[in-house]
Structure formats: C-alpha cells, structure tokens
Amino acid sequence: PEYKLLFCYTEKVGCSMFNHLFRMLRLLHPNLSEDDMKSEAEFQADGNWFRNTPAHHNLTKSDLEEMLMDPTWTKSAFF
C-alpha cells in the first residue's frame, strides 16, 4: 500500500521473485517505522507464500475495489 501499487500474478511465472521484490521494497519504504520494519521482516521470513495478502495489510474487499477505481494507484499484472 505504501507505493500505491496493486500487483496481480499468475503462479509459476516468476511470481516468487516478484513477491520477494515487492516485500523487500516494502521494507525500504521511508515511512515504515523501525519497529514496523523489524516486525514485517520477521513476518516475511516465515515463508514465501501468502506474505503480502490484502488481509495482512488489513484491507477489505471494499478497500480493494476503491483502489482499483482510484486513478492514483498503479495496477499491474504479470502472467
């Protein structure tokens, strides 16, 4: 959410690398506090799958729908 980027991927088409890239970018965001960064790093180190879901960011279906319609958000798909 910090970069206003929505990203959708298809499994088995480089998705692990893209997920890792976006998780690492999140850790580098300047607005992330040191405590949040440490907590996020520990959470992400727990495994590769389901580390960057809408639920992890406390986003609802309604939030996602608003983001999809908001022109200030960048939307991307990799397949």
Side-chain angles (χ1 to χ4, degrees):
E2 297 85 4
Y3 292 99
K4 287 195 156 194
L5 171 66
L6 293 175
F7 180 74
C8 180
Y9 62 85
T10 301
E11 290 184 32
K12 302 298 177 195
V13 186
C15 65
S16 295
M17 187 55 83
F18 270 102
N19 274 319
H20 180 69
L21 172 68
F22 290 131
R23 288 191 315 263
M24 293 303 107
L25 281 174
R26 183 160 195 267
L27 291 174
L28 297 173
H29 195 275
N31 291 343
L32 202 60
S33 73
E34 189 172 323
D35 287 340
D36 287 342
M37 187 182 334
K38 182 179 179 185
S39 174
E40 186 68 20
E42 289 170 358
F43 175 78
Q44 290 182 10
D46 194 29
N48 288 329
W49 297 103
F50 305 107
R51 299 286 101 193
N52 204 20
T53 64
H56 174 67
H57 300 287
N58 299 315
L59 297 172
T60 65
K61 182 179 177 185
S62 178
D63 293 331
L64 295 173
E65 289 170 350
E66 287 179 29
M67 291 172 189
L68 282 169
M69 300 305 294
D70 186 340
T72 65
W73 279 76
T74 301
K75 294 90 176 176
S76 179
F78 184 75
F79 53 95

